Amino acid sequence: MSIDTILFKPEEWTIQTSDEFPDEVKYLADALKVKVATTPSQNKVIKFVKGKPIFKNTKSAESDESYELQIDGKSIQIQITATSGHGVFNGVQTLLSMADTTKVSGSIVLKSVTIKDRPRFRYRGVMLDVARNFHPKETIFKLLDLMAIYKLNKFHFHLSDDEGWRLDIPDIPELTQLGSKRCHDESETVCLMPSFGSRPNIDDQGPAFYNISDYRDILKYANERHIQVIPEIDMPSHMRAALKSISLRASHKGTPRDQYKMTDKTDGNNYRSAQGYNDNISNPCRDGLYAFVNMVIGTIVEAHKDIQPLTLIHFGGDTIPKPALQAMKCKDNTTDLSLLFIQRLFQKKQFTNMSFGAWEDSFLKPDKTPYTVESLGSITQQNRSVYAFVYQEENNAVFKLANLGYKVINSPASLYHFDHPYNKDTDERGLKWATEFINTKLVFAFDPLKGKDGYGELKKPENIVGIQAHMWTGLVQSTDQLEYMMFPRLIAFAERAWHHASWHDTNNVTDMERDWIEFINHLVYKEFSKLDKLNVHYRIPPPGAIIQNGKLHVNTYYPGMTVEYSVNNPGQAKQWYKVTGDETLSEPIILRTMSTDGKRHSKEIELDRSIW
């Protein structure tokens, strides 16, 4: 091999032990199957060095996630330099990505190169809803692995909603005894009524919640991958599962009836939530709500304490129907109950080390203008932040919240709600309330700092601290469905979260298209094969096809993918043939696109005979 390359044979290499980065040493050693050496070696060694990478371009902000990766074919060494374990870990992911390319007789060919890199945004998040449809711990582990590969660092864990409560709170066992179960029970004392595809019989369902040990396992797994877990307990709306559970608790002998009482019989039910409920909102004036907050959040804080101390929690706060609050009685002599809830939550002394986040509508007055951060309480005086997760574009709140000092996570539903379909095909899974479709190119091209009419002027761009992809699971019941909806869109999302494209500044469409072509080729020739090996069921788009002059012509959304056809003879077994471009066909045919490993395929489409 030349000095421009390294022939990497894992059995011949070592990773030098590091007092500063022991966890990262173990992670890479396990990933590459390389031994850890305690004594220095001169060559065929990987080293982690504590130091600050120097960048010529000072436009991007300083980041402890930056790193420098040096692959030196002359000294036959690999070195990653960073100031933190997170920076080293990012360098490790780049090295692993490079090592997954060209192999020669079981060895890996690595080119000599120096890479200096750092993220555009410090918050690069994924939200997973496990309330609407539960997903087991093993699915969470796999998602965290994939997030780490693509340098995504925040896992927003949506643990509660109207239709389900998914975290065991030992001092309130009814939350999972009732709130995690769904079946046909009109009294809702055994389970909640079915929703989002759940079956009518409770025996059809296994345990649908995480006990504290499960949750701590998830925290440990995330922590090893430098991913922050941000739990969400949705309040004061979207609380039906919790409210039904507390009602059951109050009916038990020996339990204090008002300990966690969060509603009043005089509150009224003259409202409907977006999901059709009229019994899913707690009363912010009831002390029982804050006793509930103390117990639930206190339990979560304790679970995090010795693994990943909880510094940010999400309280939901979204889509509260106005009539619901207007009918509630309040001893606090206030009419703005949404603001009252936030103020009382933020001032709780036991949570003074935490920042809080919520969906943006919780921080907007009825006229859609934002509350000042100062009006929410003394949170800023204690060096804490308020994170606004902006998803509703019609509120025009992104710039307004950033200018007022909120830390904004820009996550428009029309681009980042991955429960929406990839295209307009009626066979595609997905909701359509925010947009008819979200294809991968739309995700790739979005600039989080670019405004729309009505947004106003962005005076404090530094307060848009990140972006987040949302995986709501109302129509997503299995791991395969989850992966189909997320990939490859999540890879395009990760590209935008990490890399600041020059065409975002210049608005040069030609440059964007050139970048897009390079990106989709990278997907096909590298990332798809990686996902195949990891058994990720990413979406494979069906082909386009036409017959002209008797010959079959096909194309694919992503270049270079194999297309197969079969003669469409109903009742007969299908025989599939690779499309070569020489086919002259007169029979009705069906087509499909194949995955790069040939083990999966897109949905099958019938060629429209009317256009022959």
Side-chain angles (χ1 to χ4, degrees), residues 218-247:
I218 290 169
L219 289 177
K220 292 172 185 175
Y221 205 84
N223 210 46
E224 290 168 358
R225 286 149 184 80
H226 292 276
I227 295 171
Q228 180 184 5
V229 176
I230 302 164
E232 178 185 353
I233 302 297
D234 216 337
M235 304 177 287
S237 62
H238 290 287
M239 290 192 72
R240 190 174 190 273
L243 294 174
K244 290 292 182 181
S245 300
I246 295 302
S247 293

PDB file of all heavy atoms in Angstrom, residues 218-247:
ATOM      1  N   ILE A 218     -32.284   2.305  29.480  1.00  0.00           N
ATOM      2  CA  ILE A 218     -32.318   3.212  28.325  1.00  0.00           C
ATOM      3  C   ILE A 218     -31.400   4.404  28.565  1.00  0.00           C
ATOM      4  O   ILE A 218     -30.656   4.825  27.667  1.00  0.00           O
ATOM      5  CB  ILE A 218     -33.763   3.663  28.053  1.00  0.00           C
ATOM      6  CG1 ILE A 218     -34.591   2.483  27.522  1.00  0.00           C
ATOM      7  CG2 ILE A 218     -33.803   4.823  27.059  1.00  0.00           C
ATOM      8  CD1 ILE A 218     -36.081   2.738  27.469  1.00  0.00           C
ATOM      9  N   LEU A 219     -31.427   4.938  29.787  1.00  0.00           N
ATOM     10  CA  LEU A 219     -30.549   6.062  30.111  1.00  0.00           C
ATOM     11  C   LEU A 219     -29.071   5.674  29.956  1.00  0.00           C
ATOM     12  O   LEU A 219     -28.276   6.429  29.393  1.00  0.00           O
ATOM     13  CB  LEU A 219     -30.803   6.533  31.547  1.00  0.00           C
ATOM     14  CG  LEU A 219     -32.119   7.249  31.839  1.00  0.00           C
ATOM     15  CD1 LEU A 219     -32.219   7.562  33.324  1.00  0.00           C
ATOM     16  CD2 LEU A 219     -32.239   8.523  31.014  1.00  0.00           C
ATOM     17  N   LYS A 220     -28.717   4.500  30.468  1.00  0.00           N
ATOM     18  CA  LYS A 220     -27.319   4.049  30.365  1.00  0.00           C
ATOM     19  C   LYS A 220     -26.911   3.875  28.909  1.00  0.00           C
ATOM     20  O   LYS A 220     -25.811   4.283  28.502  1.00  0.00           O
ATOM     21  CB  LYS A 220     -27.145   2.735  31.124  1.00  0.00           C
ATOM     22  CG  LYS A 220     -27.292   2.850  32.633  1.00  0.00           C
ATOM     23  CD  LYS A 220     -27.289   1.466  33.295  1.00  0.00           C
ATOM     24  CE  LYS A 220     -27.558   1.560  34.788  1.00  0.00           C
ATOM     25  NZ  LYS A 220     -27.676   0.214  35.421  1.00  0.00           N
ATOM     26  N   TYR A 221     -27.792   3.274  28.123  1.00  0.00           N
ATOM     27  CA  TYR A 221     -27.489   3.032  26.716  1.00  0.00           C
ATOM     28  C   TYR A 221     -27.307   4.350  25.974  1.00  0.00           C
ATOM     29  O   TYR A 221     -26.377   4.508  25.165  1.00  0.00           O
ATOM     30  CB  TYR A 221     -28.633   2.232  26.091  1.00  0.00           C
ATOM     31  CG  TYR A 221     -28.259   1.417  24.883  1.00  0.00           C
ATOM     32  CD1 TYR A 221     -27.708   0.158  25.010  1.00  0.00           C
ATOM     33  CD2 TYR A 221     -28.462   1.920  23.594  1.00  0.00           C
ATOM     34  CE1 TYR A 221     -27.361  -0.606  23.903  1.00  0.00           C
ATOM     35  CE2 TYR A 221     -28.115   1.165  22.475  1.00  0.00           C
ATOM     36  CZ  TYR A 221     -27.566  -0.088  22.637  1.00  0.00           C
ATOM     37  OH  TYR A 221     -27.232  -0.832  21.532  1.00  0.00           O
ATOM     38  N   ALA A 222     -28.186   5.309  26.256  1.00  0.00           N
ATOM     39  CA  ALA A 222     -28.078   6.625  25.624  1.00  0.00           C
ATOM     40  C   ALA A 222     -26.813   7.344  26.074  1.00  0.00           C
ATOM     41  O   ALA A 222     -26.108   7.973  25.271  1.00  0.00           O
ATOM     42  CB  ALA A 222     -29.312   7.465  25.955  1.00  0.00           C
ATOM     43  N   ASN A 223     -26.510   7.252  27.355  1.00  0.00           N
ATOM     44  CA  ASN A 223     -25.357   7.958  27.900  1.00  0.00           C
ATOM     45  C   ASN A 223     -24.057   7.460  27.275  1.00  0.00           C
ATOM     46  O   ASN A 223     -23.143   8.247  26.996  1.00  0.00           O
ATOM     47  CB  ASN A 223     -25.320   7.776  29.414  1.00  0.00           C
ATOM     48  CG  ASN A 223     -24.683   8.950  30.125  1.00  0.00           C
ATOM     49  OD1 ASN A 223     -24.999  10.100  29.831  1.00  0.00           O
ATOM     50  ND2 ASN A 223     -23.786   8.673  31.048  1.00  0.00           N
ATOM     51  N   GLU A 224     -23.969   6.160  27.022  1.00  0.00           N
ATOM     52  CA  GLU A 224     -22.778   5.602  26.380  1.00  0.00           C
ATOM     53  C   GLU A 224     -22.601   6.131  24.962  1.00  0.00           C
ATOM     54  O   GLU A 224     -21.486   6.102  24.422  1.00  0.00           O
ATOM     55  CB  GLU A 224     -22.886   4.074  26.340  1.00  0.00           C
ATOM     56  CG  GLU A 224     -22.759   3.425  27.706  1.00  0.00           C
ATOM     57  CD  GLU A 224     -23.153   1.954  27.687  1.00  0.00           C
ATOM     58  OE1 GLU A 224     -23.557   1.462  26.596  1.00  0.00           O
ATOM     59  OE2 GLU A 224     -23.083   1.298  28.746  1.00  0.00           O
ATOM     60  N   ARG A 225     -23.681   6.635  24.378  1.00  0.00           N
ATOM     61  CA  ARG A 225     -23.644   7.144  23.000  1.00  0.00           C
ATOM     62  C   ARG A 225     -23.751   8.670  22.959  1.00  0.00           C
ATOM     63  O   ARG A 225     -24.020   9.248  21.914  1.00  0.00           O
ATOM     64  CB  ARG A 225     -24.781   6.486  22.198  1.00  0.00           C
ATOM     65  CG  ARG A 225     -24.462   5.042  21.877  1.00  0.00           C
ATOM     66  CD  ARG A 225     -25.685   4.159  21.792  1.00  0.00           C
ATOM     67  NE  ARG A 225     -25.263   2.770  21.570  1.00  0.00           N
ATOM     68  CZ  ARG A 225     -24.825   1.958  22.534  1.00  0.00           C
ATOM     69  NH1 ARG A 225     -24.772   2.389  23.794  1.00  0.00           N
ATOM     70  NH2 ARG A 225     -24.441   0.727  22.257  1.00  0.00           N
ATOM     71  N   HIS A 226     -23.538   9.293  24.112  1.00  0.00           N
ATOM     72  CA  HIS A 226     -23.561  10.757  24.238  1.00  0.00           C
ATOM     73  C   HIS A 226     -24.875  11.341  23.734  1.00  0.00           C
ATOM     74  O   HIS A 226     -24.902  12.384  23.057  1.00  0.00           O
ATOM     75  CB  HIS A 226     -22.367  11.377  23.508  1.00  0.00           C
ATOM     76  CG  HIS A 226     -21.062  11.061  24.157  1.00  0.00           C
ATOM     77  ND1 HIS A 226     -20.555  11.777  25.215  1.00  0.00           N
ATOM     78  CD2 HIS A 226     -20.163  10.071  23.922  1.00  0.00           C
ATOM     79  CE1 HIS A 226     -19.403  11.265  25.593  1.00  0.00           C
ATOM     80  NE2 HIS A 226     -19.145  10.215  24.833  1.00  0.00           N
ATOM     81  N   ILE A 227     -25.968  10.677  24.076  1.00  0.00           N
ATOM     82  CA  ILE A 227     -27.303  11.152  23.725  1.00  0.00           C
ATOM     83  C   ILE A 227     -28.035  11.523  25.005  1.00  0.00           C
ATOM     84  O   ILE A 227     -28.146  10.710  25.924  1.00  0.00           O
ATOM     85  CB  ILE A 227     -28.093  10.073  22.950  1.00  0.00           C
ATOM     86  CG1 ILE A 227     -27.416   9.795  21.603  1.00  0.00           C
ATOM     87  CG2 ILE A 227     -29.543  10.500  22.742  1.00  0.00           C
ATOM     88  CD1 ILE A 227     -27.996   8.608  20.857  1.00  0.00           C
ATOM     89  N   GLN A 228     -28.515  12.743  25.065  1.00  0.00           N
ATOM     90  CA  GLN A 228     -29.270  13.212  26.226  1.00  0.00           C
ATOM     91  C   GLN A 228     -30.722  12.774  26.098  1.00  0.00           C
ATOM     92  O   GLN A 228     -31.360  12.991  25.070  1.00  0.00           O
ATOM     93  CB  GLN A 228     -29.200  14.736  26.340  1.00  0.00           C
ATOM     94  CG  GLN A 228     -29.968  15.297  27.532  1.00  0.00           C
ATOM     95  CD  GLN A 228     -29.960  16.818  27.581  1.00  0.00           C
ATOM     96  OE1 GLN A 228     -29.457  17.479  26.661  1.00  0.00           O
ATOM     97  NE2 GLN A 228     -30.505  17.397  28.637  1.00  0.00           N
ATOM     98  N   VAL A 229     -31.255  12.165  27.139  1.00  0.00           N
ATOM     99  CA  VAL A 229     -32.658  11.766  27.171  1.00  0.00           C
ATOM    100  C   VAL A 229     -33.469  12.894  27.800  1.00  0.00           C
ATOM    101  O   VAL A 229     -33.177  13.320  28.922  1.00  0.00           O
ATOM    102  CB  VAL A 229     -32.856  10.457  27.950  1.00  0.00           C
ATOM    103  CG1 VAL A 229     -34.334  10.103  28.046  1.00  0.00           C
ATOM    104  CG2 VAL A 229     -32.078   9.321  27.288  1.00  0.00           C
ATOM    105  N   ILE A 230     -34.471  13.354  27.071  1.00  0.00           N
ATOM    106  CA  ILE A 230     -35.337  14.431  27.530  1.00  0.00           C
ATOM    107  C   ILE A 230     -36.748  13.857  27.672  1.00  0.00           C
ATOM    108  O   ILE A 230     -37.483  13.715  26.686  1.00  0.00           O
ATOM    109  CB  ILE A 230     -35.331  15.611  26.546  1.00  0.00           C
ATOM    110  CG1 ILE A 230     -33.907  16.144  26.365  1.00  0.00           C
ATOM    111  CG2 ILE A 230     -36.274  16.724  27.008  1.00  0.00           C
ATOM    112  CD1 ILE A 230     -33.725  17.033  25.159  1.00  0.00           C
ATOM    113  N   PRO A 231     -37.151  13.466  28.887  1.00  0.00           N
ATOM    114  CA  PRO A 231     -38.474  12.880  29.058  1.00  0.00           C
ATOM    115  C   PRO A 231     -39.564  13.941  28.926  1.00  0.00           C
ATOM    116  O   PRO A 231     -39.363  15.102  29.286  1.00  0.00           O
ATOM    117  CB  PRO A 231     -38.430  12.310  30.471  1.00  0.00           C
ATOM    118  CG  PRO A 231     -37.414  13.158  31.183  1.00  0.00           C
ATOM    119  CD  PRO A 231     -36.404  13.556  30.152  1.00  0.00           C
ATOM    120  N   GLU A 232     -40.707  13.523  28.389  1.00  0.00           N
ATOM    121  CA  GLU A 232     -41.868  14.410  28.322  1.00  0.00           C
ATOM    122  C   GLU A 232     -43.036  13.781  29.067  1.00  0.00           C
ATOM    123  O   GLU A 232     -43.424  12.646  28.787  1.00  0.00           O
ATOM    124  CB  GLU A 232     -42.301  14.697  26.883  1.00  0.00           C
ATOM    125  CG  GLU A 232     -43.539  15.594  26.833  1.00  0.00           C
ATOM    126  CD  GLU A 232     -44.101  15.814  25.433  1.00  0.00           C
ATOM    127  OE1 GLU A 232     -43.458  15.385  24.464  1.00  0.00           O
ATOM    128  OE2 GLU A 232     -45.196  16.407  25.325  1.00  0.00           O
ATOM    129  N   ILE A 233     -43.571  14.527  30.007  1.00  0.00           N
ATOM    130  CA  ILE A 233     -44.840  14.210  30.653  1.00  0.00           C
ATOM    131  C   ILE A 233     -45.799  15.327  30.257  1.00  0.00           C
ATOM    132  O   ILE A 233     -45.639  16.471  30.668  1.00  0.00           O
ATOM    133  CB  ILE A 233     -44.700  14.125  32.188  1.00  0.00           C
ATOM    134  CG1 ILE A 233     -43.657  13.067  32.569  1.00  0.00           C
ATOM    135  CG2 ILE A 233     -46.052  13.853  32.825  1.00  0.00           C
ATOM    136  CD1 ILE A 233     -44.012  11.659  32.141  1.00  0.00           C
ATOM    137  N   ASP A 234     -46.781  15.003  29.431  1.00  0.00           N
ATOM    138  CA  ASP A 234     -47.644  16.024  28.839  1.00  0.00           C
ATOM    139  C   ASP A 234     -48.619  16.563  29.884  1.00  0.00           C
ATOM    140  O   ASP A 234     -49.390  15.803  30.476  1.00  0.00           O
ATOM    141  CB  ASP A 234     -48.407  15.422  27.654  1.00  0.00           C
ATOM    142  CG  ASP A 234     -48.600  16.417  26.532  1.00  0.00           C
ATOM    143  OD1 ASP A 234     -48.564  17.637  26.804  1.00  0.00           O
ATOM    144  OD2 ASP A 234     -48.797  15.996  25.381  1.00  0.00           O
ATOM    145  N   MET A 235     -48.585  17.898  30.106  1.00  0.00           N
ATOM    146  CA  MET A 235     -49.432  18.572  31.096  1.00  0.00           C
ATOM    147  C   MET A 235     -49.701  20.011  30.629  1.00  0.00           C
ATOM    148  O   MET A 235     -48.859  20.567  29.930  1.00  0.00           O
ATOM    149  CB  MET A 235     -48.719  18.634  32.453  1.00  0.00           C
ATOM    150  CG  MET A 235     -48.262  17.303  33.018  1.00  0.00           C
ATOM    151  SD  MET A 235     -47.352  17.468  34.571  1.00  0.00           S
ATOM    152  CE  MET A 235     -45.778  18.146  34.013  1.00  0.00           C
ATOM    153  N   PRO A 236     -50.759  20.652  31.020  1.00  0.00           N
ATOM    154  CA  PRO A 236     -51.921  20.145  31.753  1.00  0.00           C
ATOM    155  C   PRO A 236     -52.971  19.513  30.833  1.00  0.00           C
ATOM    156  O   PRO A 236     -53.978  19.009  31.302  1.00  0.00           O
ATOM    157  CB  PRO A 236     -52.489  21.406  32.405  1.00  0.00           C
ATOM    158  CG  PRO A 236     -52.177  22.492  31.417  1.00  0.00           C
ATOM    159  CD  PRO A 236     -50.838  22.121  30.812  1.00  0.00           C
ATOM    160  N   SER A 237     -52.728  19.525  29.508  1.00  0.00           N
ATOM    161  CA  SER A 237     -53.633  18.846  28.591  1.00  0.00           C
ATOM    162  C   SER A 237     -53.061  17.487  28.202  1.00  0.00           C
ATOM    163  O   SER A 237     -51.995  17.097  28.686  1.00  0.00           O
ATOM    164  CB  SER A 237     -53.864  19.704  27.341  1.00  0.00           C
ATOM    165  OG  SER A 237     -52.637  19.895  26.646  1.00  0.00           O
ATOM    166  N   HIS A 238     -53.753  16.758  27.346  1.00  0.00           N
ATOM    167  CA  HIS A 238     -53.318  15.421  26.919  1.00  0.00           C
ATOM    168  C   HIS A 238     -53.041  14.515  28.121  1.00  0.00           C
ATOM    169  O   HIS A 238     -52.114  13.714  28.111  1.00  0.00           O
ATOM    170  CB  HIS A 238     -52.064  15.518  26.040  1.00  0.00           C
ATOM    171  CG  HIS A 238     -52.327  16.114  24.692  1.00  0.00           C
ATOM    172  ND1 HIS A 238     -52.994  15.439  23.689  1.00  0.00           N
ATOM    173  CD2 HIS A 238     -52.031  17.337  24.184  1.00  0.00           C
ATOM    174  CE1 HIS A 238     -53.081  16.214  22.624  1.00  0.00           C
ATOM    175  NE2 HIS A 238     -52.523  17.370  22.896  1.00  0.00           N
ATOM    176  N   MET A 239     -53.889  14.634  29.144  1.00  0.00           N
ATOM    177  CA  MET A 239     -53.651  13.904  30.395  1.00  0.00           C
ATOM    178  C   MET A 239     -54.713  12.841  30.667  1.00  0.00           C
ATOM    179  O   MET A 239     -54.843  12.362  31.799  1.00  0.00           O
ATOM    180  CB  MET A 239     -53.580  14.878  31.577  1.00  0.00           C
ATOM    181  CG  MET A 239     -52.352  15.754  31.606  1.00  0.00           C
ATOM    182  SD  MET A 239     -52.155  16.623  33.178  1.00  0.00           S
ATOM    183  CE  MET A 239     -51.679  15.307  34.285  1.00  0.00           C
ATOM    184  N   ARG A 240     -55.460  12.428  29.670  1.00  0.00           N
ATOM    185  CA  ARG A 240     -56.593  11.533  29.929  1.00  0.00           C
ATOM    186  C   ARG A 240     -56.156  10.235  30.602  1.00  0.00           C
ATOM    187  O   ARG A 240     -56.804   9.762  31.550  1.00  0.00           O
ATOM    188  CB  ARG A 240     -57.336  11.229  28.632  1.00  0.00           C
ATOM    189  CG  ARG A 240     -58.664  10.515  28.840  1.00  0.00           C
ATOM    190  CD  ARG A 240     -59.448  10.369  27.544  1.00  0.00           C
ATOM    191  NE  ARG A 240     -60.777   9.896  27.823  1.00  0.00           N
ATOM    192  CZ  ARG A 240     -61.123   8.606  27.933  1.00  0.00           C
ATOM    193  NH1 ARG A 240     -60.183   7.666  27.779  1.00  0.00           N
ATOM    194  NH2 ARG A 240     -62.360   8.249  28.189  1.00  0.00           N
ATOM    195  N   ALA A 241     -55.079   9.626  30.129  1.00  0.00           N
ATOM    196  CA  ALA A 241     -54.611   8.378  30.747  1.00  0.00           C
ATOM    197  C   ALA A 241     -54.282   8.590  32.219  1.00  0.00           C
ATOM    198  O   ALA A 241     -54.615   7.754  33.071  1.00  0.00           O
ATOM    199  CB  ALA A 241     -53.400   7.837  29.996  1.00  0.00           C
ATOM    200  N   ALA A 242     -53.649   9.706  32.536  1.00  0.00           N
ATOM    201  CA  ALA A 242     -53.306  10.003  33.925  1.00  0.00           C
ATOM    202  C   ALA A 242     -54.552  10.292  34.750  1.00  0.00           C
ATOM    203  O   ALA A 242     -54.699   9.797  35.879  1.00  0.00           O
ATOM    204  CB  ALA A 242     -52.338  11.186  33.986  1.00  0.00           C
ATOM    205  N   LEU A 243     -55.463  11.079  34.222  1.00  0.00           N
ATOM    206  CA  LEU A 243     -56.670  11.454  34.967  1.00  0.00           C
ATOM    207  C   LEU A 243     -57.540  10.244  35.257  1.00  0.00           C
ATOM    208  O   LEU A 243     -58.098  10.104  36.354  1.00  0.00           O
ATOM    209  CB  LEU A 243     -57.450  12.514  34.196  1.00  0.00           C
ATOM    210  CG  LEU A 243     -56.757  13.875  34.037  1.00  0.00           C
ATOM    211  CD1 LEU A 243     -57.555  14.790  33.127  1.00  0.00           C
ATOM    212  CD2 LEU A 243     -56.524  14.527  35.399  1.00  0.00           C
ATOM    213  N   LYS A 244     -57.691   9.344  34.279  1.00  0.00           N
ATOM    214  CA  LYS A 244     -58.467   8.126  34.511  1.00  0.00           C
ATOM    215  C   LYS A 244     -57.797   7.257  35.574  1.00  0.00           C
ATOM    216  O   LYS A 244     -58.459   6.633  36.402  1.00  0.00           O
ATOM    217  CB  LYS A 244     -58.616   7.349  33.209  1.00  0.00           C
ATOM    218  CG  LYS A 244     -59.529   8.011  32.190  1.00  0.00           C
ATOM    219  CD  LYS A 244     -60.975   8.022  32.653  1.00  0.00           C
ATOM    220  CE  LYS A 244     -61.892   8.628  31.622  1.00  0.00           C
ATOM    221  NZ  LYS A 244     -63.304   8.669  32.091  1.00  0.00           N
ATOM    222  N   SER A 245     -56.473   7.210  35.557  1.00  0.00           N
ATOM    223  CA  SER A 245     -55.734   6.416  36.541  1.00  0.00           C
ATOM    224  C   SER A 245     -55.886   6.988  37.942  1.00  0.00           C
ATOM    225  O   SER A 245     -56.040   6.236  38.921  1.00  0.00           O
ATOM    226  CB  SER A 245     -54.253   6.350  36.154  1.00  0.00           C
ATOM    227  OG  SER A 245     -54.084   5.747  34.884  1.00  0.00           O
ATOM    228  N   ILE A 246     -55.859   8.300  38.057  1.00  0.00           N
ATOM    229  CA  ILE A 246     -56.016   8.941  39.365  1.00  0.00           C
ATOM    230  C   ILE A 246     -57.439   8.757  39.881  1.00  0.00           C
ATOM    231  O   ILE A 246     -57.660   8.582  41.087  1.00  0.00           O
ATOM    232  CB  ILE A 246     -55.619  10.425  39.290  1.00  0.00           C
ATOM    233  CG1 ILE A 246     -54.123  10.559  38.969  1.00  0.00           C
ATOM    234  CG2 ILE A 246     -55.969  11.151  40.581  1.00  0.00           C
ATOM    235  CD1 ILE A 246     -53.198   9.876  39.957  1.00  0.00           C
ATOM    236  N   SER A 247     -58.413   8.774  38.988  1.00  0.00           N
ATOM    237  CA  SER A 247     -59.796   8.513  39.407  1.00  0.00           C
ATOM    238  C   SER A 247     -59.926   7.095  39.966  1.00  0.00           C
ATOM    239  O   SER A 247     -60.614   6.857  40.973  1.00  0.00           O
ATOM    240  CB  SER A 247     -60.754   8.695  38.228  1.00  0.00           C
ATOM    241  OG  SER A 247     -60.808  10.048  37.833  1.00  0.00           O
TER     242      SER A 247
END
